């Protein structure tokens, strides 16, 4: 066992996914390609299609893509794809944190599996032990981890055997029938009786080279380890009372890695730590890796000089480097490859003379990142490590942000239920994402970060710190491009945050900002989705809450902006706004906060979208509403924006004709008077005005060009096109041309009844688009010549 396990770096897929992974993912998402019969209700429960065989590398890669790229939990259903061991091949499989049962495990072990991981698989039962033993001759590496429930029947048998007097009944031939096993990892097994279970478990496993018994109790005797002649790595993390077994451990002469670390507030205190550590190191000549974290074995840090016996032997004339860890003095000239000092008594990792090439601790960045790699399977350590890593980012700078990103994402994905790990990890992600390494993030890395944060937010949605960290991190992504693949889930969690009355107002403010960013520059389907999730109702509730408190803040303004965005060319959301008493809240906001330019602009932009929907316009044709829109024609708030939107609303209302106006409840306002006021306002605007508006389509404006019975509406439409193509020619000239706008304007020029100013503006638009086209062609020619 190495002190530095191989962790799959998020930087390995530095470029987009490989062609193999893309093909595998496509096949898994479209099961009919590889399966003969597919039930929509039970995917993957059928056989491979006739004539299809999957090679070893493809089968194992399928499981990897299913878990890591598709972010699915492995269960029996997916394993049915591999139930034919002739046409499919599996050799190395790790099902940690999966939902497999005995049935799925049996399918897999029909293959000659050499490496098997089943840690934290709660669906397995005692029958899995029998299944493992039936296929045990091929298994070389077995990680049972915390799935210790598979031993329940064995423990019951051993418990019953204690009630018999015959020694023969107390003898069990084997627990694991895996004669060729080289590596065994077993964690957290508590034996509820006096029988020496671990001795019975390990005695038959003569070929073991790596053994991990972390947190197993009670370990009453380790003498049987002396029978394991090939043992080179031994992990006894959190095994209590190890001082009793030091003599035995010192007899394991082939050990290269020894871990006797402890965790928790209670350190494992040794009576004579310097002497015990010296004895261990002196007795194990092959030792290159040692972990004494959480103990007092590093001593107090007082440098030891040579003893009288050593001095008399002539060593005093030799230059012997000093060691600040007394028990390791003899390793000063032959330092360990790795030394674990995380959480040792007297803060040993801060000492200067430490005879080791790599150290886990919290004295500096290198030690912390080393600890993160070594302790990725120990959440109690990992939480402390991630807190230390966060402090590096917060109070200084990290010299290895790539490795930091690796360890943070691995920790957060592995321990999704551990809130402290998620909080600490997300805090570091904030600094990593906004740091200098961000430009180097590939699509895969961005997706990895986004999905990891979303998983954490959804799991711990009641924790304000978790949500704050994640939202602040999302700010540094490009919306919606970087998150479009998780659009629905992100919308859901942001709406949840925004809708909570007791939510931290800062988090609420950031969340509604992100939600508004999500609603920009997306198509109608996604805007409808946001509305389907209840966004309009939630925004209206926010607005009403702010009105009751007489508060006009960014949340109120952004709530209107969000509705403006998601009602754009989305009639169903416009209707939801009206049905939710939106106009009533509009009038209240106008009355309560009459001087808030940003608020007024956002509200009028939203109502402009509502006015574009023909079947909703009658609901706007009331005396009160039309009086407000007419008054706002003269508004100079936010440049021309409020006046512009008021004229747009009135143009769309007027486009329904005189009959619609006469049939409405409007009696005081005269249609002609309103239209005259509208034209007066339009002619007051500066054609060079810069705009705070974004059109994805000119279709609603172009519709007005057909309204021959109301040239005033045409006037507003051509002015809008003239302004936009003049100030933002690069964007809007192309858009207008692509939607057939030039042809419509040319037809408008030849229509009778169109007054001169409209024709002037129409000619201006046509000329601006032609000039832009010519300048583009000239630039293209110049580029070719250069």
């Amino acid at each position: 066992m190495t002190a530095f396990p191989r962790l799959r770096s998020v930087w390995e897929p530095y470029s987009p996914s490989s062609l193999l992974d893309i093909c595998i993912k496509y096949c898994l998402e479209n099961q009919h390609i590889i399966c003969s019969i597919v039930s929509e209700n039970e995917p993957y429960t059928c056989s491979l299609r006739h004539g299809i065989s999957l090679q070893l590398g493809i089968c194992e890669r399928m499981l990897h893509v299913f878990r890591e790229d598709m972010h699915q939990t492995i269960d029996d259903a997916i394993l049915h794809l591999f139930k034919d061991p002739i046409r499919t091949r599996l050799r190395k499989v790790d099902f940690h944190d999966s939902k497999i049962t005995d049935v799925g495990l049996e399918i897999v072990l029909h293959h000659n599996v050499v490496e098997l991981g089943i840690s934290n698989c709660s669906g397995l039962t005692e029958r899995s032990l029998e299944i493992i033993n039936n296929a045990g001759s091929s298994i070389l590496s077995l990680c049972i981890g915390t799935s210790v429930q598979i031993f329940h029947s064995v423990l019951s048998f051993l418990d019953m055997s204690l009630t018999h007097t015959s020694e023969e009944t107390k003898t069990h031939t084997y627990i694991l029938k895996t004669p060729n096993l080289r590596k065994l990892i077993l964690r957290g097994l508590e034996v509820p009786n006096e029988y020496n279970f671990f001795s019975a478990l390990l005695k038959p496993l003569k070929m073991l080279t790596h053994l991990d018994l972390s947190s197993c109790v009670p370990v009453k005797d380790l003498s049987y380890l002396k029978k394991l002649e090939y043992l080179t790595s031994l992990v006894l993390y959190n095994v209590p009372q190890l001082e009793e077994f030091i003599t035995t451990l010192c007899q394991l002469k082939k050990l290269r890695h020894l871990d006797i670390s402890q965790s928790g507030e209670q350190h494992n205190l040794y009576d004579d730590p310097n002497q015990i550590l010296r004895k261990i190191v002196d007795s194990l000549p092959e030792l290159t890796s040692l972990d004494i974290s959480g103990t007092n074995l590093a001593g107090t840090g007082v440098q030891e000089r040579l003893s009288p016996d050593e001095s008399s032997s002539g060593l005093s004339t030799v230059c012997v480097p000093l060691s600040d860890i007394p028990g390791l003095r003899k390793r000063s000239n032959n330092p360990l490859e790795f030394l674990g000092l995380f959480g040792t008594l007297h803060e040993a990792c801060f000492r200067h003379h430490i005879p080791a090439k790599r150290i886990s601790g919290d004295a500096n960045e290198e030690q912390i990142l080393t600890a993160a790699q070594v302790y990725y399977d120990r959440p109690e350590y990992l939480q402390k490590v991630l807190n230390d890593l966060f402090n590096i980012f917060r109070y200084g700078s990290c010299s290895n942000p790539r490795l930091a990103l690796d360890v943070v994402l691995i920790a957060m994905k592995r321990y999704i239920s551990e809130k402290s790990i998620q909080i600490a990890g997300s805090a570091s992600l904030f600094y990593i994402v906004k740091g200098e390494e961000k430009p180097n993030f590939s699509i895969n890395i961005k997706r990895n970060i986004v999905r990891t944060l979303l998983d954490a937010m959804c799991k711990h949605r009641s924790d304000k710190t978790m949500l704050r960290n994640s939202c602040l991190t999302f700010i540094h992504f490009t919306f919606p491009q970087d998150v479009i693949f998780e659009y629905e889930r992100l919308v859901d969690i942001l709406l949840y945050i925004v809708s909570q009355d007791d939510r931290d107002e800062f988090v609420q403010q950031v969340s509604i900002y992100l939600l508004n960013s999500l609603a920009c520059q997306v198509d109608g389907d996604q805007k409808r989705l946001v509305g389907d999730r209840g966004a309009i109702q939630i925004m209206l509730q926010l607005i009403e809450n702010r009105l009751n408190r007489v508060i006009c803040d960014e949340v109120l303004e952004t709530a209107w902006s969000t509705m403006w965005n998601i009602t754009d060319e989305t009639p169903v959301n416009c209707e939801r706004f009206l049905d939710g008493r939106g106009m009533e809240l509009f009038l209240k906001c106008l009355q309560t906060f009459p001087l808030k330019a940003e608020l007024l602009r956002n509200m009028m932009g939203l109502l402009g979208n509502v006015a574009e929907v023909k079947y909703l316009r009658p609901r706007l044709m009331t005396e009160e509403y039309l009086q407000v829109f007419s008054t706002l024609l003269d508004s100079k708030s936010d440049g021309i924006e409020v006046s512009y939107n008021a004229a747009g609303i009135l143009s769309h209302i007027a486009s329904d004709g005189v009959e619609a106006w006469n049939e409405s409840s409007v009696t005081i306002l005269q249609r002609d008077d309103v239209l005259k006021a509208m034209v007066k306002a339009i002619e007051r605007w500066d054609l060079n005005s810069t705009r705070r508006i974004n059109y994805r389509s000119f279709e609603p404006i172009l519709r007005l060009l057909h309204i021959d019975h109301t040239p005033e509406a045409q006037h507003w439409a051509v002015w809008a096109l003239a302004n936009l193509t003049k100030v933002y020619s690069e964007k809007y000239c192309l858009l207008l041309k692509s939607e057939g706008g030039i042809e419509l304007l040319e037809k408008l020029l030849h229509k009778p009844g169109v007054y001169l100013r409209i024709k002037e503006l129409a000619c201006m638009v046509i000329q601006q688009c032609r000039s832009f086209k010519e300048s583009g062609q000239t630039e293209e020619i110049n580029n070719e010549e250069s």
Side-chain angles (χ1 to χ4, degrees):
M1 176 180 179
T2 174
F4 298 94
R6 173 71 170 129
L7 303 182
R8 183 176 182 269
S9 170
V10 298
W11 299 90
E12 288 178 8
Y14 200 77
S15 57
S17 301
S18 68
L19 181 59
L20 174 62
D21 285 358
I22 292 173
C23 292
I24 287 175
K25 184 177 180 181
Y26 182 79
C27 290
L28 289 173
E29 290 175 340
N30 301 273
Q31 306 97 321
H32 62 277
I33 295 175
I34 56 176
C35 297
S36 55
I37 301 174
V38 176
S39 169
E40 293 183 0
N41 296 325
E42 298 182 21
Y44 308 112
T45 56
C46 49
S47 301
L48 288 175
R49 291 176 58 183
H50 179 71
I52 293 180
S53 295
L54 301 176
Q55 298 178 356
L56 174 63
I58 293 179
C59 293
E60 293 177 357
R61 195 66 189 172
M62 269 189 168
L63 291 174
H64 173 84
V65 170
F66 189 73
R67 183 200 287 266
E68 299 297 331
D69 295 353
M70 297 175 63
H71 300 272
Q72 301 293 318
T73 301
I74 293 177
D75 56 14
D76 292 352
I78 181 67
L79 296 181
H80 271 82
L81 283 172
F82 311 105
K83 59 184 176 183
D84 185 347
I86 297 176
R87 293 193 292 148
T88 59
R89 297 181 63 195
L90 294 170
R91 290 293 178 270
K92 300 178 180 180
V93 289
D94 185 0
F95 299 129
H96 71 272
D97 302 316
S98 71
K99 295 181 180 179
I100 67 167
T101 69
D102 302 334
V103 174
L105 183 62
E106 190 165 25
I107 290 174
V108 171
L109 291 184
H110 281 150
H111 301 254
N112 291 323
V113 172
V114 296
E115 292 185 12
L116 175 64
I118 54 172
S119 181
N120 197 27
C121 295
S122 58
L124 300 179
T125 70
E126 304 94 296
R127 184 168 173 268
S128 287
L129 181 59
E130 179 184 348
I131 295 169
I132 291 171
N133 287 338
N134 289 338
S137 59
S138 67
I139 299 177
L140 303 181
S141 174
L142 177 60
C143 177
I144 296 171
T146 54
S147 298
V148 294
Q149 71 274 8
I150 70 172
F151 292 115
H152 285 173
S153 60
V154 175
L155 292 173
S156 299
F157 170 80
L158 295 176
D159 190 38
M160 288 188 296
S161 71
L162 291 174
T163 63
H164 296 78
T165 57
S166 170
E167 289 297 323
E168 289 183 331
T169 59
K170 295 183 182 181
T171 302
H172 194 56
T173 307
Y174 63 83
I175 296 175
L176 279 174
K177 191 179 181 181
T178 51
N180 298 311
L181 193 64
R182 302 303 200 268
K183 181 177 182 178
L184 175 63
I185 298 175
L186 179 64
R187 297 181 178 132
L189 178 59
E190 298 183 18
V191 182
N193 54 54
E194 296 300 319
Y195 190 84
N196 199 333
F197 170 86
F198 300 103
S199 176
L201 172 70
L202 298 171
K203 278 182 179 179
L205 306 179
K206 303 294 185 182
M207 304 300 292
L208 275 185
T209 60
H210 296 67
L211 176 62
D212 185 341
L213 296 178
S214 295
S215 301
C216 290
V217 292
V219 178
K220 299 169 54 182
D221 180 21
L222 290 177
S223 60
Y224 50 84
L225 295 181
K226 292 185 288 185
K227 302 292 185 180
L228 303 179
E229 299 179 6
Y230 303 101
L231 193 64
T232 60
S233 174
L234 178 61
V235 178
L236 299 173
Y237 166 67
N238 261 1
V239 173
Q241 300 175 335
L242 283 180
E243 188 169 8
E244 301 175 9
F245 309 123
I246 294 299
T247 301
T248 300
L249 295 177
C250 289
Q251 297 178 55
L252 306 178
K253 299 299 182 180
K254 292 188 177 181
L255 279 186
R256 302 188 65 195
H257 173 69
L258 176 63
D259 185 340
I260 52 176
S261 59
Q262 300 286 311
S263 71
E265 297 299 325
Q266 297 297 324
H267 290 73
N268 194 6
L269 301 180
Y270 293 84
D271 292 337
D272 193 347
N274 294 343
Q275 182 179 348
I276 290 174
L277 181 58
R278 184 182 300 113
K279 180 179 179 180
I280 292 172
V281 174
D282 292 350
S283 301
L284 303 176
E286 302 294 324
L287 196 67
T288 61
S289 175
L290 175 66
D291 201 328
I292 56 173
S293 299
T295 72
N296 67 335
L297 287 174
T300 62
V302 177
Q303 294 180 351
E304 279 192 342
R305 302 291 177 175
L306 294 176
S307 66
D309 292 339
E310 291 170 325
S311 298
S312 62
S313 66
L315 289 178
S316 59
T317 61
V318 181
C319 180
V320 179
L322 299 177
S323 168
D324 286 339
I325 298 179
L328 295 179
R329 189 184 62 207
K330 289 188 178 180
R331 295 303 297 259
S332 297
N333 286 323
N334 182 26
L336 295 166
E337 293 294 324
F338 168 74
L339 179 62
L341 296 177
F342 193 83
T344 50
L345 213 61
H346 304 297
E347 298 183 319
C349 63
F350 284 86
R351 300 173 194 171
H352 296 290
H353 304 288
I354 302 176
K357 296 178 182 178
R358 299 195 70 176
I359 301 163
S360 69
D362 58 1
N364 52 51
E365 177 186 323
E366 183 180 1
Q367 288 186 7
I368 291 169
L369 289 175
T370 297
Q373 294 173 82
V374 175
Y375 305 130
Y376 74 101
D377 58 352
R378 299 179 185 176
E380 58 274 23
Y381 272 13
L382 205 51
Q383 184 253 322
K384 299 175 183 177
V385 171
L386 292 178
N387 282 334
D388 292 333
L389 186 59
F390 163 67
N391 286 327
I392 288 177
F393 283 108
R394 185 180 183 185
Y395 298 111
S397 61
C398 180
S399 61
N400 196 346
R402 292 192 175 191
L403 179 55
L405 179 59
D406 283 345
V407 298
V408 168
L409 291 179
I410 289 168
M412 292 181 69
K413 286 190 287 187
R414 191 177 182 95
Y415 300 103
I416 183 64
S417 297
E418 298 288 339
K419 185 169 68 173
S420 58
I421 287 179
Q422 300 303 314
I423 291 175
S426 61
S428 291
L429 279 182
F430 166 75
Y431 288 99
I432 295 172
V433 168
K434 77 168 189 174
E436 295 179 355
E437 203 64 47
K438 180 185 176 182
N440 296 324
F441 288 174
S442 67
I443 294 174
N444 285 341
I445 293 175
K446 290 180 181 179
R447 290 188 172 187
N448 204 341
I449 296 171
V450 168
R451 191 168 276 123
T452 300
L453 284 172
L454 271 177
D455 289 343
M457 293 174 77
C458 293
K459 185 70 176 180
H460 304 283
R461 58 173 55 201
S462 63
D463 189 90
K464 295 180 181 179
T465 304
M466 180 71 248
L467 298 178
R468 174 187 286 253
N469 292 349
S470 300
C471 288
L472 288 174
T473 304
F474 277 128
I475 286 177
H476 297 284
F477 285 95
T478 301
F479 272 50
Q481 296 93 317
D482 288 346
V483 298
I484 199 73
F485 71 102
E486 280 282 14
Y487 194 86
E488 293 186 32
R489 208 154 59 112
L490 186 52
V491 165
D492 286 342
I493 192 64
L494 291 176
L495 284 174
Y496 167 80
I497 297 171
V498 171
S499 66
Q500 301 303 299
D501 292 335
D502 61 343
R503 181 62 56 207
D504 181 332
E505 288 205 3
F506 176 75
V507 176
Q508 191 178 58
Q509 179 180 329
V510 175
S511 298
I512 197 170
Y513 165 81
L514 293 173
L515 190 64
N516 192 31
S517 300
L518 275 180
C520 292
Q521 300 178 18
V522 292
D523 60 28
D525 289 339
Q526 287 156 327
K527 292 179 186 292
R528 280 192 295 274
L529 182 145
V530 178
D532 292 344
R533 294 297 203 272
I536 296 291
Q537 294 87 335
I538 291 172
M539 295 303 111
L540 292 174
Q541 288 170 8
L542 274 177
I543 292 166
E544 188 167 23
N545 176 276
R546 291 302 192 277
L547 281 168
N548 292 336
R549 295 159 57 191
V550 195
I551 294 175
C552 183
D553 58 5
E554 287 191 27
V555 171
L556 177 66
E557 293 173 354
T558 311
W560 282 102
S561 177
T562 302
M563 289 195 294
W564 180 6
N565 280 317
I566 63 177
T567 53
D568 178 30
E569 297 185 48
T570 313
V572 64
N573 287 341
C574 295
E575 188 171 8
R576 286 167 172 151
F577 168 78
L578 294 178
D579 291 344
R581 297 173 38 247
M583 291 303 296
E584 177 184 333
L585 295 176
F586 161 69
L587 294 176
K588 286 184 178 179
C589 282
L590 190 62
Q591 180 182 5
T592 309
F593 310 111
L595 301 179
K596 296 294 183 178
E598 182 79 9
L599 174 64
L600 187 54
R601 181 182 77 94
N602 293 344
M603 292 193 298
M604 292 301 290
L606 162 61
L607 295 184
N609 289 338
V610 176
E612 291 174 359
V613 184
K614 183 176 178 60
Y615 76 91
L616 295 179
R617 283 199 284 269
R619 299 174 67 172
L620 297 179
M621 295 180 69
T622 70
E623 200 83 55
E624 185 177 23
Y625 299 157
L626 290 175
Q627 182 64 61
V628 169
F629 301 146
S630 298
T631 301
L632 290 176
L633 286 171
D634 296 326
S635 173
K636 294 181 174 59
S637 178
D638 202 28
I640 70 167
E641 296 300 335
V642 172
S643 179
Y644 171 88
N645 281 315
I649 294 168
L650 291 170
S651 294
H652 285 291
I653 290 175
S655 70
D656 290 333
V658 177
E659 297 80 6
W661 189 285
N662 293 337
E663 291 173 0
S664 69
S665 59
V666 180
T667 57
I668 299 176
L669 284 175
Q670 296 300 308
R671 184 173 184 272
D672 289 343
D673 293 340
V674 172
L675 293 177
K676 288 178 182 178
M678 187 177 77
V679 171
K680 182 179 179 181
I682 294 171
E683 286 305 301
R684 189 179 63 247
W685 303 335
D686 182 358
L687 267 171
N688 294 306
S689 298
T690 56
R691 309 302 307 282
R692 298 178 60 193
I693 195 169
N694 177 52
Y695 283 99
R696 293 186 305 117
S697 170
F698 282 144
E699 197 274 335
I701 293 178
L702 296 179
R703 283 202 302 265
L704 294 177
L705 298 181
H706 299 284
I707 308 302
D708 298 333
H709 59 71
T710 307
E712 294 87 352
Q714 295 173 325
H715 191 165
W716 177 83
V718 292
W719 191 96
L721 295 175
N723 165 252
L724 294 169
T725 55
K726 181 179 178 68
V727 180
Y728 305 100
S729 56
E730 185 173 349
K731 177 179 180 180
Y732 289 122
C733 286
L734 294 174
L735 179 61
L736 183 62
K737 181 181 178 182
S738 68
E739 294 187 333
I742 303 297
E743 291 81 357
L744 287 176
L745 289 168
E746 289 174 341
K747 290 179 181 179
L748 186 67
L749 293 175
H750 299 93
K751 284 184 178 181
V754 176
Y755 51 77
L756 180 61
R757 181 53 178 161
I758 296 176
K759 292 184 178 182
E760 289 176 350
L761 291 170
C763 288
M764 187 183 301
V765 176
I766 295 170
Q767 183 57 44
Q768 284 169 176
C769 289
R770 286 175 179 170
S771 299
F772 173 76
K773 181 181 179 182
E774 291 170 0
S775 65
Q777 289 176 340
T778 303
E779 183 178 347
E780 189 174 319
I781 292 171
N782 292 336
N783 289 337
E784 288 178 357
E785 291 176 349
S786 62

